[in-house]
Amino acid sequence: MDVEPVGTAEPGRSGGRPAEQLSRLLDRVGNGDLAAAELAELRSALMHYCGLQSCRHTKGPPRPMNRRTFRHSFLLPDGSVRMLWELEHDTEPGGATRRSVFSSREDLAAAEWAVDTAFGGPVGAELPAADFLPPFGQGGPRGEDAPLVPAPAAFRRAYTEGDSAEHARRLLRRAANAGAPGWPVRIRLRAAIAHDITIITRRSAVVAGRQVSWSLYEHAFLLLDGTELSLWEIDHTRTPTGDPVCEVYTSQDAALDTAVRRIEAS
C-alpha cells in the first residue's frame, strides 16, 4: 500500500529548535509583532510539529489563487500541547502572499471564511459578518465570551497537498473487487487537489485454521469545487495464497460488511 505522508509541511516550517520555529513563524506573518507577547511561553517548548491542515486552490478566473492553513503544535515542559494556526493566501488584489497566525480555532475559522470569499464563498456554513473575529490586536471580541464560529468543511480535516488525483488513480487501479467505484467516481476524482488517509481499524482472526488479517482505511479527497469525497479501502489476506489484496468501496458500511461477513466468515 503506497501511502503518502499525512500532515507534511515545507522544510521552512519543520525542523530545528521549537524556539527557532516560533521565531520564523512570527517573522513571516503579518501580525507577528502583535502575537509575540501572547506566545512568549512557547519559546520554552520541548518539541514542535507543523502539518498542513487544509487548503484551497483555483486556476481562475480571474487568476490562480491559493489558500493554505498550517497547524503548529508545541509540546511544553509541563506536558501540555499548545496549538497555533498559520493562514497563508494570495487572494488579495495584486496576488501578494499574506500570512497570519491565530491561537484559537474560532479566530482561524472566521479568517478562513473571509479569505474564501475570494473563491466565491467559503466551504461549508456561511458566517454572518457580525461574527467575524479579527486576529491578534485588531479589536473585536476574544476569549471565553467570543462567539463560536462554524468551521468550513475543509477546516475539519487535515489534508496534504500533491498528486491527489494520481493517488486516487493508483488506489482504484489496485482495487480487486468487482464492486469497486466506477467511472462517475473516477472522473470526479480527477479534480482532487488534496487528500487525507486515515486508518479506521485493524483486526485479525483465525479462519479455517489460518490467521487472516484486515485493515480499513478512509481516503478522503478535497475536490477543486470545495466538496469532499471519501473512498474506503479494505486490505486483507483472505486469499488462497495468503497474499494481501486491496478492495475499495464508496461507503464505510459496505467496506465493513465485506470485512466482517466475508473475510472473517468461517
Side-chain angles (χ1 to χ4, degrees), residues 79-140:
S80 63
V81 177
R82 181 81 179 272
M83 307 289 289
L84 297 179
W85 292 269
E86 178 185 359
L87 177 63
E88 175 185 274
H89 68 96
D90 57 5
T91 62
E92 295 181 2
T97 299
R98 307 290 185 186
R99 300 180 182 90
S100 300
V101 62
F102 301 88
S103 61
S104 78
R105 295 177 182 270
E106 291 76 25
D107 288 12
L108 170 68
E112 283 184 320
W113 175 86
V115 169
D116 284 355
T117 57
F119 294 87
V123 181
E126 291 289 334
L127 175 67
D131 286 346
F132 181 80
L133 301 181
F136 291 98
Q138 297 183 15

Side-chain angles (χ1 to χ4, degrees), residues 24-174:
R24 293 176 196 168
L25 172 63
L26 295 176
D27 286 345
R28 66 176 172 262
V29 299
N31 59 334
D33 291 341
L34 296 171
E38 180 177 334
L39 303 179
E41 68 168 330
L42 298 186
R43 297 193 180 278
S44 64
L46 304 178
M47 294 182 63
H48 165 265
Y49 174 78
C50 177
L52 181 71
Q53 175 163 290
S54 70
C55 61
R56 197 167 182 186
H57 170 77
T58 180
K59 295 182 178 179
R63 60 176 175 81
M65 292 186 297
N66 297 275
R67 190 269 291 161
R68 300 191 297 173
T69 300
F70 295 91
R71 181 177 62 253
H72 294 263
S73 304
F74 291 86
L75 176 64
L76 300 181
D78 63 1
S80 63
V81 177
R82 181 81 179 272
M83 307 289 289
L84 297 179
W85 292 269
E86 178 185 359
L87 177 63
E88 175 185 274
H89 68 96
D90 57 5
T91 62
E92 295 181 2
T97 299
R98 307 290 185 186
R99 300 180 182 90
S100 300
V101 62
F102 301 88
S103 61
S104 78
R105 295 177 182 270
E106 291 76 25
D107 288 12
L108 170 68
E112 283 184 320
W113 175 86
V115 169
D116 284 355
T117 57
F119 294 87
V123 181
E126 291 289 334
L127 175 67
D131 286 346
F132 181 80
L133 301 181
F136 291 98
Q138 297 183 15
R142 292 183 61 86
E144 295 299 323
D145 295 330
L148 296 178
V149 176
F155 169 73
R156 303 184 190 119
R157 188 185 297 272
Y159 282 103
T160 182
E161 296 176 294
D163 297 325
S164 297
E166 175 63 17
H167 173 74
R169 188 188 69 82
R170 293 198 309 267
L171 172 64
L172 292 172
R173 183 181 62 188
R174 65 177 181 263

Side-chain angles (χ1 to χ4, degrees), residues 203 214 234 254-266:
R203 286 170 55 170
W214 61 269
I234 291 282
L256 286 173
D257 182 64
T258 291
V260 175
R261 176 179 53 82
R262 181 165 57 83
I263 296 175
E264 289 192 4
S266 58

Side-chain angles (χ1 to χ4, degrees), residues 8-22:
T8 56
E10 295 91 346
R13 289 186 170 92
S14 59
R17 293 178 174 273
E20 295 171 352
Q21 281 298 326
L22 178 63

